């Protein structure tokens, strides 16, 4: 029942304060919290909209200001010119990807030049001062979060906060480019009511990269899906997230045994494949992971996260889209049973979920 509740607004941002203790340059900066959501377009058949359509099946909103199809009238933000601001952005949508970009130009119609988004954190974990922290755009799958620094444009220069188009595949939903908000810089803009603390207690530096640790095992999992009636492209889909070697089955909340059993105090490698004709978003509760490889190629990205996108399989390639994740079970608070799933909630509700039980650390010999 998650999709209907989140489409109805049952979501919100939870902020753990203190990032300025790790990044002193953030101290005192004005702060914006932007919550992005989606909801069904009234009167539109969502299943039909998913099949080869070039029209969106969802309206969007930013802080409850609706961007309604087909007008797509954006919200409005005002800011002081040439001001450094700290933006915290949550993709609280049930099903929609947001590929975020801030663009500027001499007019709203000509706002095509990407501004720099300087990443500070992803999924609640600091990214550190890395050269690749500066991005032209940031992709957020449903449930993902990003915090970044922006510099507002000079007065007379127009800016737009947009989500770029994202291809979720033949069985997915169309996500066209849309403007979420216009940004106007003016010297008489009100001062933002929320600011980071002027100073914070020093925080310990980020922990050693997970890539330097030795995993106790490697697991393989894969996303797949199956239509109830394979000859009818509008028939319902059952979604699976399967541990390699087991029979695909829709998740049952009345499970007797978890799909995965791990030990506290360890790290594991999980290779997750997408064998479906639409994008999926792997998410795990309680812990973070580091992406080591994408499509079998090593990536240099020490950022910790709990949500990662997997593009769709084209049905022709001999290999599936995949990520290799090093998952951290060393925390003292991870013992217990929790879930991993696709964070596209239509898919989660349709069975694309698994349970993991983390046992207490093995006694030392």
């Amino acid at each position: 029942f998650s999709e209907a509740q989140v489409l109805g607004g049952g979501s919100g941002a939870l902020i753990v304060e203190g990032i300025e203790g790790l990044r002193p340059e953030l101290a005192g900066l004005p702060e914006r919290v932007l919550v992005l959501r989606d909801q069904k377009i009234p009167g539109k058949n969502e299943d039909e909209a998913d099949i080869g359509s070039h029209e969106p099946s969802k309206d969007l909103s930013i802080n409850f200001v609706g961007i309604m199809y087909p007008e797509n009238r954006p919200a409005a933000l005002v800011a002081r010119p040439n001001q450094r601001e700290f933006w915290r952005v949550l993709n609280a949508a049930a099903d929609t990807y947001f590929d975020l970009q801030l663009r500027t130009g001499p007019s709203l119609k000509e706002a095509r030049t990407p501004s720099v988004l300087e990443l500070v954190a992803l999924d609640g974990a600091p990214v550190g001062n890395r050269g690749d922290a500066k991005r032209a755009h940031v992709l957020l799958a449903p449930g993902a979060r990003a915090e970044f620094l922006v510099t507002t444009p000079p007065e007379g220069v127009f800016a737009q906060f947009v989500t770029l188009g994202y291809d979720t595949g033949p069985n997915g939903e169309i996500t066209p480019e849309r403007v979420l908000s216009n940004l106007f810089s003016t010297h008489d803009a009100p001062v933002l009511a929320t600011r980071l603390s002027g100073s914070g207690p020093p925080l310990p530096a980020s922990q050693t990269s997970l890539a330097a640790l030795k995993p106790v095992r490697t697991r393989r999992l894969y996303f797949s899906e199956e239509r109830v009636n394979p000859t009818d492209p509008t028939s319902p889909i059952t979604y699976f997230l399967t541990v390699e070697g087991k029979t695909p089955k829709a998740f049952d909340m009345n499970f007797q045994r978890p799909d995965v059993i791990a030990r506290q105090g360890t790290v594991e490698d999980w290779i997750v494949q997408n064998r479906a004709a639409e994008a999926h978003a792997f998410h795990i509760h309680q812990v973070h992971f580091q992406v080591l490889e994408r499509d079998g190629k090593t990536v240099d990205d020490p950022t910790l996260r709990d949500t990662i996108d997997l593009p769709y399989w084209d049905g022709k390639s001999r290999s599936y889209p995949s990520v290799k994740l090093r998952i951290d079970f060393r925390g003292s608070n991870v013992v217990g049973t929790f879930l991993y799933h696709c964070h596209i909630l239509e898919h989660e509700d349709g069975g694309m979920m698994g349970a993991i039980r983390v046992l207490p650390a093995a006694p030392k010999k």
Side-chain angles (χ1 to χ4, degrees):
F1 304 104
S2 298
E3 185 194 29
Q5 296 172 14
V6 173
L7 287 172
S11 60
L14 172 66
I15 295 174
V16 179
E17 296 178 334
I19 186 68
E20 67 278 4
L22 190 61
R23 297 284 296 272
E25 71 273 23
L26 303 178
L29 289 184
E31 172 191 28
R32 294 184 192 267
V33 179
L34 303 174
V35 181
L36 309 177
R37 297 181 173 89
D38 59 1
Q39 63 186 86
K40 293 182 180 179
I41 297 175
K44 191 158 193 173
N45 185 315
E46 188 174 0
D47 292 332
E48 292 179 358
D50 290 353
I51 303 170
S53 171
H54 295 286
E55 298 180 351
S57 62
K58 300 286 197 310
D59 287 325
L60 305 179
S61 69
I62 177 170
N63 289 5
F64 293 111
V65 178
I67 298 102
M68 319 300 284
Y69 180 82
E71 292 85 0
N72 293 326
R73 183 175 298 171
L77 296 172
V78 292
R80 299 288 178 96
N82 301 305
Q83 178 172 255
R84 294 275 277 172
E85 294 187 352
F86 183 53
W87 289 17
R88 303 183 192 261
V89 185
L90 161 65
N91 183 354
D95 303 311
T96 302
Y97 285 79
F98 288 88
D99 195 359
L100 301 174
Q101 187 172 74
L102 183 66
R103 302 195 299 217
T104 62
S107 69
L108 290 178
K109 289 185 178 180
E110 298 173 286
R112 309 299 299 175
T113 303
S115 297
V116 172
L117 305 178
E118 186 178 339
L119 279 179
V120 173
L122 284 173
D123 294 347
V127 303
N129 287 304
R130 287 171 51 88
D132 62 358
K134 295 182 178 181
R135 310 280 180 90
H137 61 103
V138 177
L139 176 66
L140 294 184
R145 294 85 72 202
E147 295 163 83
F148 46 80
L149 287 166
V150 302
T151 300
T152 61
E155 193 164 25
V157 174
F158 294 85
Q160 292 187 316
F161 189 44
V162 306
T163 178
L164 306 175
Y166 184 76
D167 186 359
T168 61
N171 286 352
E173 295 188 6
I174 187 69
T175 54
E177 180 177 309
R178 280 187 275 188
V179 179
L180 301 172
S181 179
N182 296 323
L183 174 61
F184 301 97
S185 291
T186 173
H187 286 285
D188 58 2
V191 176
L192 283 181
T194 57
R195 287 178 175 269
L196 295 180
S197 170
S199 62
L203 298 179
S206 299
Q207 61 186 1
T208 304
S209 168
L210 295 180
L213 303 178
K214 183 178 181 179
V216 297
R217 65 177 54 83
T218 297
R219 303 183 194 268
R220 297 177 182 272
L221 299 85
Y222 61 92
F223 292 109
S224 63
E225 49 192 66
E226 181 180 275
R227 288 199 179 274
V228 174
N229 182 353
T231 63
D232 180 3
T234 65
S235 69
I237 296 176
T238 303
Y239 299 92
F240 311 108
L241 178 48
T242 308
V243 177
E244 185 81 52
K246 296 185 178 181
T247 303
K249 61 180 178 63
F251 179 75
D252 179 3
M253 193 62 84
N254 297 311
F255 67 90
Q256 299 300 309
R257 291 181 56 83
D259 301 280
V260 172
I261 296 177
R263 282 276 185 186
Q264 188 268 332
T266 66
V267 296
E268 295 189 358
D269 283 355
W270 289 20
I271 297 173
V272 185
Q273 294 180 330
N274 186 4
R275 302 181 184 181
E278 62 178 313
H280 294 295
F282 178 81
H283 171 74
I284 187 167
H285 293 193
Q286 301 297 104
V287 299
H288 280 78
F289 53 75
Q290 182 180 343
V291 181
L292 301 181
E293 297 178 4
R294 188 178 278 276
D295 299 331
K297 298 179 181 178
T298 301
V299 297
D300 180 19
D301 185 359
T303 304
L304 299 180
R305 60 188 75 190
D306 59 30
T307 306
I308 190 69
D309 62 289
L310 277 95
Y312 68 93
W313 180 51
D314 61 12
K316 302 175 184 177
S317 301
R318 299 180 67 179
S319 60
Y320 300 106
S322 67
V323 288
K324 183 178 182 179
L325 312 175
R326 182 149 296 166
I327 301 185
D328 189 358
F329 296 111
R330 294 175 301 159
S332 60
N333 63 341
V334 301
V335 173
T337 302
F338 48 95
L339 301 170
Y340 57 88
H341 58 91
C342 177
H343 215 298
I344 298 173
L345 298 185
E346 177 188 12
H347 303 170
E348 179 212 55
D349 290 352
M352 196 168 262
M353 183 153 61
I356 177 171
R357 180 169 296 152
V358 178
L359 303 176
K364 295 182 179 181
K365 296 181 180 180

